Amino acid sequence: MDHNRISIRSEAWRQKDTGFVADRLLGAGIRYADEILALRVFDLLNLNRIDAGTAEETILVLYRLYNPNTLVDRSLEEGTLDQYFPFPDWRKRHKDLSALTVGEFVMTEGINHRAIVRICSRLLKAFYRSEEYCGREYRYLDYRELLGKEAEKTS
C-alpha cells in the first residue's frame, strides 16, 4: 500500500471509514490521506465541514489505515492488556499541541486506539481554549483556502 497517495475515494479508505467521513472530507477539498497527515490538527479543526466528531473519526480512519495490527487494541478492549502508552513522555515531546500535525499524532510509535481517543480529547480541549478557535465561523472555507493562506504566510 502506498502510504503517500491513498485516495479518500479508494476502497482502502472506505473499508476503514466506519464513521463515513469521506464525503465531508471531499466536500472540504481534501482528496488524499497524505494531505490530512500533513495538516496541523488545529487546521483540520478549522476547516469548514470538519467538526470535532469528524476530525476525531478522520484521525481514527488514518490510524486504522496505517496501523493495521489490531492485536493490541483487541487485548486492551478485552482487558487482557493494560494501557502501556507513555502519555507523560508523549506530552513532554508535544508541549505545544497547536503545532502537532495529524501525521505526528497518528504515526506515533506504540500508539493504540485507546491512546488516540484519549489524546484526541486533550487536543479538542486545547483547540477550543486556544485563540485559533472561533465559535462563530471556521477559519478556512476549504482545504484550498487553507493552502492559500499558508502560502501567503511563507511569501
Side-chain angles (χ1 to χ4, degrees):
M1 179 182 320
D2 179 5
H3 294 341
N4 294 324
R5 277 287 144 183
I6 297 173
S7 171
I8 305 293
R9 298 174 196 254
S10 72
E11 185 62 29
W13 179 277
R14 298 239 182 228
Q15 285 179 351
K16 306 296 183 182
D17 187 1
T18 58
F20 306 103
V21 296
D23 289 338
R24 283 170 269 170
L25 294 169
L26 291 166
I30 297 172
R31 302 287 179 252
Y32 296 97
D34 64 308
E35 294 171 336
I36 304 166
L37 292 171
L39 286 176
R40 289 182 321 123
V41 175
F42 281 25
D43 284 339
L44 179 64
L45 289 163
N46 260 317
L47 281 173
N48 189 24
R49 297 184 186 95
I50 310 295
D51 59 16
T54 301
E56 183 174 359
E57 184 56 35
T58 298
I59 289 167
L60 287 169
V61 171
L62 292 166
Y63 167 74
R64 290 188 289 267
L65 268 173
Y66 295 115
N67 299 289
N69 182 357
T70 59
L71 181 60
V72 170
D73 294 329
R74 276 197 310 263
S75 297
L76 285 167
E77 262 180 44
E78 295 167 355
T80 58
L81 180 67
D82 288 333
Q83 176 60 270
Y84 66 90
F85 186 77
F87 289 103
D89 294 342
W90 187 90
R91 191 68 181 105
K92 283 179 190 172
R93 285 192 312 275
H94 301 287
K95 290 180 181 172
D96 181 6
L97 294 178
S98 70
L100 183 70
T101 67
V102 175
E104 289 170 327
F105 178 28
V106 170
M107 303 300 200
T108 298
E109 188 175 333
I111 196 96
N112 57 62
H113 183 272
R114 192 178 286 175
I116 290 272
V117 170
R118 184 171 163 188
I119 293 170
C120 266
S121 180
R122 284 190 179 163
L123 284 166
L124 289 171
K125 284 178 188 173
F127 172 71
Y128 289 123
R129 290 180 182 154
S130 76
E131 292 179 13
E132 292 191 45
Y133 169 67
C134 175
R136 293 183 301 272
E137 63 185 358
Y138 288 96
R139 187 172 278 196
Y140 309 109
L141 178 63
D142 58 19
Y143 181 64
R144 183 177 299 156
E145 182 179 345
L146 181 141
L147 291 177
K149 292 203 176 178
E150 288 297 315
E152 286 174 13
K153 287 180 191 176
T154 59
S155 55

